[in-house]
Amino acid sequence: MNFKKIDINSFKDISPFFKHQQSMACEYSFGILYFWKDYFNYQYAIKNDCLFIKQDTDGVTSFFLPLCDDLLIGINTLKQYCDENSIPLNLSCVPESYKNIVETILNNEAIEGEIWKDYIYDINVM
């Protein structure tokens, strides 16, 4: 897999894959990826009709949930990439609605991160 840095021209490659993500997590939008691209060193790759987003922060590499029609294929492709490159498979920004599915595919329990948390506000209250 060939990861590329996100730039303004990446929009046309990345945006069609957001249809696969039904959560309201802000990370799964081009605007957030572009805005934070330098801080998180966001990069992307497309393989097997899946979008893969990688981040490197404080010497730790992690990946978003692959965006594709078949999550099993996406996670297995990502696992193969990590194995070939001696990178631990760390997933971050996994929406709660995918937690059980990912745990089943990886046969591993999720650990909740403490540093970054998302908040959803009810605009009808304001």
Side-chain angles (χ1 to χ4, degrees), residues 34-120:
Y34 184 74
F35 183 81
W36 290 98
K37 67 184 172 53
D38 295 325
Y39 184 85
F40 290 107
N41 191 26
Y42 285 139
Q43 298 176 37
Y44 76 99
I46 298 171
K47 183 175 181 177
N48 297 337
D49 292 321
C50 292
L51 172 66
F52 300 93
I53 299 170
K54 177 171 87 165
Q55 66 181 23
D56 292 300
T57 309
D58 298 327
V60 176
T61 299
S62 61
F63 301 87
F64 285 14
L65 195 64
L67 296 180
C68 51
D69 284 331
D70 191 328
L71 188 56
L72 179 60
I73 289 172
I75 289 177
N76 285 334
T77 301
L78 189 54
K79 186 173 182 333
Q80 180 181 357
Y81 170 81
C82 288
D83 290 345
E84 290 171 356
N85 291 279
S86 300
I87 302 170
L89 176 56
N90 294 316
L91 293 177
S92 64
C93 304
V94 175
E96 184 72 27
S97 59
Y98 288 88
K99 180 179 178 273
N100 292 336
I101 296 166
V102 171
E103 287 178 336
T104 299
I105 291 171
L106 294 176
N107 194 27
N108 200 346
E109 190 172 326
I111 299 170
E112 186 174 340
E114 293 299 322
I115 297 173
W116 297 93
K117 303 243 184 196
D118 277 338
Y119 298 90
I120 298 176

